[in-house]
Amino acid sequence: MTRQERAAWLFCAPVLAIIALVFVLPTALAMALSVTDYSVYALGDWQNLRFVGLGNFVDLLSTPLFWRALGNTLMFAGLGVPMAIGTSLAVALLLHDTTVRWKPLWRVLLFAPYVTSVVATAVVWRFLFNERFGLLNRALGAIGLPPVDWLGNPHTSIPAILLFVTWKTFGYNMIVFTAALSAVPQDLMEAARLDGAGSWRRFRHVTLPAIGPTLLLAAVMSIAGFLQIFAEPYVMTMGGPAQSTTTVLFFMFEEGFKWWNLGQASAVAFILFLMILAITLVQTRIGRRYEWL
Amino acid sequence: MDATGWTRRAVLGSLPALGLAACARGGDDPLRMWAMSWEGDYSPLLMPPFTAATGVPVEVQSLPTTASHEKLLIATAGGALPDVFMLFNGWVTEFATIGAIAPVPAPGLVADIFPGVLASTRVGGRDYAVPWSVAPQVNFYRRDLLAAIGYDAPPGDWDDLRAMALKLKRRRPDDYVFLMLLNWPTALVNILSLAGATPLRDRNTRGNFRTAEARQAFAYYASLFADGLAPKALSTEVQDPVAAFAQGYFAIWPSGPTTLRDLAQRGVPPERWSTARCAGPDGPGPLSGQSASLCVSATTRRPAEAWALVRHLTSIDSELHFQRAIGNLPARVRAWASPQMKKPVLRPFAEQMRFPSPDPKVIEWEQIQIQIQFAAERVVRGLQTIPQALADLDERVDRLLAKRRSLVEAGKLA
C-alpha cells in the first residue's frame, strides 16, 4: 500500500465506520430479526423468542392485509409516478419557454411546497378535501357537480392523497428537469426546426433523448419514493377508509412499532427492499439499452 | 492567537465537555412523568403541593394519545422510561408482562378503588398500577334538539332510541343524530358489551364473534349508518367534533368524561346539553368503565419518591381537583360522596359505574378492538355482509392470538 493509498483509507475510515455502524449493522440485525418471531412477549422474556426460519414470510403471504397494502402501494406508485413526473416535466417545459417572464420567481413559488412540512400541509389539504366545507367541493359545486367525499370513500382516497403528494413533490424534479433542459443543445433544436419538425417532434426526437438520463434518474428516485410512501396516508387518513390507504410501510410501522411484532415487520422491510432493488435493476437495464447510462 | 488564549478550535473542542457536564448534573433532579390526553396537559396543576411537601420538583411531559403506545414501548425497549407514567388500563397487563412496571408496594395505595377497575390492573394476583380515573361512556345529547321533537332525554333501549332518531332525522334531514367515528372502536365495543357478547373464548385464546349477540350488535350498529342516522366519517374527517356538536351536526354523542372538559372549554352553554346512560337492547346495561392508571417504572432509581408522587396524584383531593379542571372521574369510591359529584350531568356516570363490564385481559385487546372496528367498517361501507365480516374477524383475531395461544398451551401463560 502506498503512502497515498494509506492516506486515502485513513480519510475514508471515519465515514466507512459510521456507515458500518448505522447502516450495515442495523440492516444485518433486521435481517436476523426477520427469521425470528420477536414480539412483545420476547421483549418481556428472551425465552419466548424462537427461530422461525421463513415462517414470517410464509405468514405474510397468507395475511390479507399485507396483500392489500401491497396492492395499495403499487397503486400509489403506478398512478403517482407518471402523475408526479408528468407534472414536473410539463411545468419545467412551460418554464423553459423563452416567453415566460420572472422565471426565478416562478421556480421559487413552485418549489416552495417541496420544502414545507408534510404534516402541516397535509392538515391544510385535509381541510381542502373536506366533504362539507372543503374548497375542492366548493369548486365542484360551482360548476354543478355533486360533492365528493374525497378522503372518506375507499375509491377516491388514493387519488386524493396523490393529488396532495404530486403538489408537494413535483417541485424537486421540476428543478432537475429545468437544469437538464437548459443543457439541450440549441443548434440541434434550430436544425430540427429548419427541417420542418413541429413542436411535438422536436420534443420527441431532440429534447427527450437529451434529458433521457435525467428522466431515468427521476423515475428511479420517484418509484423508490412512492414505494415507501408513509407520512401522507399516516397524517391524512391513518390508513383508512376501510384500509384503502394502508401502504406497505404503514403496515410495517403498525406491526413493528405500534404492536412490536418486529420479526414480522423486519420481514416486510426485507420484501420491500427486494422489490425496490428489482425495479431499480430493471430500470437500469432499460437505461443501458438506450445508452443513457 | 489573541491575548485571552481562546481560539475557535478550543471553544468547539470544549463543547462535548459541556454536554457531559450537563448530563452529570445531580442533586435535585426533577422526577420525570409522562401522561396523555388532558392529564398530560393539566398534571402540572397538581404538582405545587407535592413539591412544597417533599421538595422534589416534577417534570411532566404530555404525550399525544394516538402515538403514546409506541412511544412507551420504545422507551421500555430503550430503557428510557420516566419514573412515573400514565397507562390506559388496557395496557397494564402488557407492560407488566414485559417487566416495564413495578408492582404496587403498599396495599393502601389501591384501597377504596372501584373493584371492577382495580381488577384490570391486577396481573397474576399482584397490583401493578394505581387507577387514576374511571371513564364509562355515556350519551352526550343536545337538550334543545331533542326537546324540539318532544324528548327530555334519549330513550334507554335500542328500539325506542331508533324511533326517536328517525323522528329527529325527518325534522333535520341534512344533519345526523349520532356521531360514531368509523375508525374509533369504543362505541362499537360498548354496543357489543350491551348486547351481552363475549368477544373471546377458550381462555381468551380465540375470537368468539360468530354468536347471536355479536350479530345483533353489528346489525344495530350498521343500521344506524344505513338509515343515515350517523355519518360514515373517520376521525380525520370530523376534525372538530365539539364544534360539530355545538352546531347541531349531530345530536347524540357516545363519549367519555373528557368531553365534559371539551364542552366547558369551548363554551357550549350548559343548558344546551346533558348526559344519559348508553342505550342497550332492553335498556342500559353493563359497560367497561376503564380509563387510566399511574405506574412506576421498574427501572426508576427513586422508587420511594415515585410512589409518593403516585400517592399524591391519586389522592381524593387531587382526583376531585382534576374533576373540576378536566372532567376526569375519580377512581376512589369515597371521592364520589363529595358535593361536587352531585351535578346532574355526572349522575349517569355514577349510575353506570354500578354496572361494570370487564375487558378481556389479554395483551392483544387493543389490536383486537381495532380489528372489530375494521370488520364493522367493511359492513357499514357495504364491502361485506355481517356473517362474512364476523367470520373474517374470528380468523383475524385467531391469528393475532396465535402467539398467546401457543404460550397458554405450553403452560407459560396463565
Side-chain angles (χ1 to χ4, degrees):
Chain A
M1 201 185 272
T2 67
R3 214 184 126 127
Q4 259 183 338
E5 277 173 358
R6 260 206 308 279
W9 278 110
L10 198 69
F11 277 110
C12 292
V15 176
L16 290 178
I18 291 172
I19 289 178
L21 201 68
V22 304
F23 181 72
V24 179
L25 182 69
T27 311
L29 286 178
M31 280 172 151
L33 266 185
S34 72
V35 292
T36 68
D37 69 343
Y38 191 95
S39 69
V40 73
Y41 291 103
L43 182 63
D45 184 355
W46 282 98
Q47 303 279 311
N48 290 335
L49 187 74
R50 279 181 314 165
F51 173 81
V52 293
L54 295 178
N56 282 326
F57 295 90
V58 175
D59 248 15
L60 272 181
L61 299 185
S62 65
T63 303
L65 184 58
F66 175 71
W67 288 105
R68 184 83 201 264
L70 202 61
N72 291 338
T73 307
L74 293 180
M75 181 97 140
F76 268 116
L79 291 175
V81 172
M83 235 167 111
I85 292 192
T87 313
S88 303
L89 188 57
V91 175
L93 285 170
L94 280 179
L95 279 186
H96 189 63
D97 200 281
T98 42
T99 56
V100 175
R101 300 174 64 188
W102 300 330
K103 277 183 192 171
L105 177 71
W106 289 118
R107 266 179 226 152
V108 170
L109 287 182
L110 293 168
F111 187 69
Y114 184 78
V115 287
T116 53
S117 136
V118 184
V119 176
T121 46
V123 170
V124 173
W125 276 76
R126 238 162 63 177
F127 282 111
L128 296 181
F129 282 130
N130 190 295
E131 190 189 2
R132 289 197 300 150
F133 325 105
L135 217 55
L136 228 63
N137 278 351
R138 285 277 164 88
L140 287 182
I143 54 170
L145 291 172
V148 178
D149 186 3
W150 291 99
L151 295 174
N153 180 331
H155 301 292
T156 54
S157 50
I158 288 186
I161 290 181
L162 280 176
L163 270 183
F164 164 67
V165 177
T166 304
W167 169 83
K168 176 93 175 63
T169 56
F170 83 93
Y172 182 80
N173 281 332
M174 176 196 79
I175 295 291
V176 176
F177 287 141
T178 309
L181 284 174
S182 64
V184 176
Q186 277 307 308
D187 44 351
L188 269 183
M189 220 39 154
E190 278 162 26
R193 195 191 306 252
L194 284 175
D195 286 344
S199 53
W200 165 250
R201 300 188 63 173
R202 283 205 302 281
F203 171 72
R204 173 71 190 79
H205 296 290
V206 181
T207 312
L208 214 49
I211 64 167
T214 315
L215 210 55
L216 180 72
L217 176 78
V220 171
M221 303 292 275
S222 295
I223 289 183
F226 271 99
L227 288 179
Q228 298 179 65
I229 192 163
F230 169 74
E232 292 83 356
Y234 182 71
V235 177
M236 293 183 86
T237 55
M238 296 164 92
Q243 295 172 307
S244 62
T245 56
T246 300
T247 61
V248 172
L249 212 64
F250 189 90
F251 177 79
M252 182 182 98
F253 172 81
E254 295 252 303
E255 281 294 312
F257 292 108
K258 197 152 195 176
W259 310 122
W260 215 253
N261 292 326
L262 282 175
Q264 181 92 308
S266 303
V268 177
F270 193 65
I271 292 178
L272 192 65
F273 166 73
L274 289 182
M275 271 170 60
I276 295 176
L277 187 69
I279 290 175
T280 311
L281 284 177
V282 170
Q283 281 171 324
T284 319
R285 272 282 165 76
I286 296 175
R288 288 242 175 78
R289 177 181 293 177
Y290 291 99
E291 295 178 346
W292 286 339
L293 291 175
Chain B
M1 194 179 272
D2 61 16
T4 61
W6 283 97
T7 61
R8 191 193 300 181
R9 188 178 296 177
V11 172
L12 288 176
S14 66
L15 282 179
L18 278 175
L20 283 177
C23 293
R25 196 171 53 88
D28 58 344
D29 269 347
L31 269 184
R32 293 191 309 133
M33 169 175 164
W34 289 357
M36 291 75 92
S37 187
W38 289 124
E39 285 91 329
D41 295 345
Y42 284 79
S43 288
L45 275 185
L46 302 176
M47 297 311 173
F50 177 75
T51 307
T54 60
V56 179
V58 183
E59 185 187 289
V60 183
Q61 190 179 353
S62 184
L63 306 186
T65 306
T66 48
S68 51
H69 188 257
E70 46 264 44
K71 171 131 181 163
L72 288 163
L73 269 182
I74 292 167
T76 307
L81 279 174
D83 304 292
V84 174
F85 54 98
M86 169 174 147
L87 281 183
F88 293 110
N89 287 11
W91 301 353
V92 172
T93 313
E94 176 177 6
F95 283 84
T97 308
I98 62 178
I101 51 181
V104 176
L109 274 164
V110 290
D112 190 33
I113 286 182
F114 281 101
V117 174
L118 188 60
S120 68
T121 57
R122 190 167 281 165
V123 184
R126 297 186 79 173
D127 294 305
Y128 273 89
V130 181
W132 199 6
S133 56
V134 294
Q137 281 213 331
V138 299
N139 278 333
F140 285 80
Y141 64 94
R142 284 282 302 268
R143 288 168 71 177
D144 49 344
L145 300 183
L146 264 61
I149 54 163
Y151 283 84
D152 290 336
D157 78 85
W158 284 356
D159 292 338
D160 293 347
L161 185 64
R162 170 197 293 285
M164 186 220 79
L166 290 169
K167 200 168 169 186
L168 186 62
K169 180 75 181 176
R170 274 197 295 278
R171 197 179 177 95
R172 302 169 60 89
D174 293 336
D175 291 321
Y176 295 91
V177 182
F178 302 101
L179 181 72
M180 297 183 295
L181 296 168
L182 274 176
N183 56 346
W184 215 246
T186 321
L188 176 59
V189 170
N190 279 338
I191 287 176
L192 280 163
S193 166
L194 288 162
T198 317
L200 304 179
R201 63 187 168 90
D202 294 356
R203 292 198 284 165
N204 289 342
T205 59
R206 283 184 186 280
N208 185 32
F209 292 96
R210 276 169 292 184
T211 60
E213 292 85 3
R215 269 196 298 280
Q216 185 194 14
F218 266 63
Y220 175 69
Y221 181 79
S223 74
L224 300 181
F225 292 90
D227 296 345
L229 301 175
K232 295 178 187 172
L234 306 172
S235 62
T236 47
E237 292 177 274
V238 184
Q239 278 124 347
D240 190 346
V242 180
F245 183 61
Q247 287 163 4
Y249 179 57
F250 56 90
I252 297 179
W253 187 12
S255 189
T258 44
T259 303
L260 293 168
R261 161 76 200 170
D262 290 320
L263 294 172
Q265 188 196 28
R266 300 291 288 277
V268 183
E271 67 277 6
R272 294 256 292 274
W273 60 273
S274 190
T275 54
R277 283 180 69 188
C278 290
D282 315 297
L287 285 185
S288 161
Q290 295 186 15
S291 179
S293 296
L294 283 174
C295 308
V296 169
S297 153
T299 53
T300 178
R301 277 177 295 173
R302 302 153 75 182
E305 288 168 351
W307 284 113
L309 178 62
V310 171
R311 184 186 297 275
H312 166 71
L313 292 176
T314 58
S315 69
I316 289 181
D317 277 351
S318 297
E319 289 189 352
L320 287 174
H321 186 165
F322 247 18
Q323 209 292 312
R324 293 188 298 273
I326 60 172
N328 263 15
L329 302 174
R332 298 208 191 261
V333 180
R334 257 187 314 131
W336 289 73
S338 157
Q340 77 177 65
M341 299 303 295
K342 303 300 173 201
K343 280 190 286 185
V345 290
L346 297 183
R347 201 172 300 144
F349 290 107
E351 283 167 25
Q352 187 62 61
M353 279 316 292
R354 293 180 18 231
F355 301 94
S357 138
D359 287 342
K361 269 172 69 179
V362 298
I363 290 183
E364 296 85 354
W365 180 234
E366 183 88 5
Q367 276 173 281
I368 293 171
Q369 292 187 63
I370 291 175
Q371 289 302 332
I372 295 174
Q373 191 57 38
F374 280 146
E377 188 184 1
R378 286 191 292 272
V379 172
V380 167
R381 294 193 189 278
L383 304 172
Q384 278 186 322
T385 64
I386 292 177
Q388 282 169 348
L390 291 178
D392 254 21
L393 179 56
D394 264 345
E395 195 193 313
R396 285 170 197 232
V397 171
D398 286 354
R399 187 190 286 273
L400 279 178
L401 291 171
K403 179 81 188 184
R404 175 184 159 78
R405 201 159 48 238
S406 73
L407 290 176
V408 169
E409 280 161 11
K412 287 188 192 168
L413 211 63

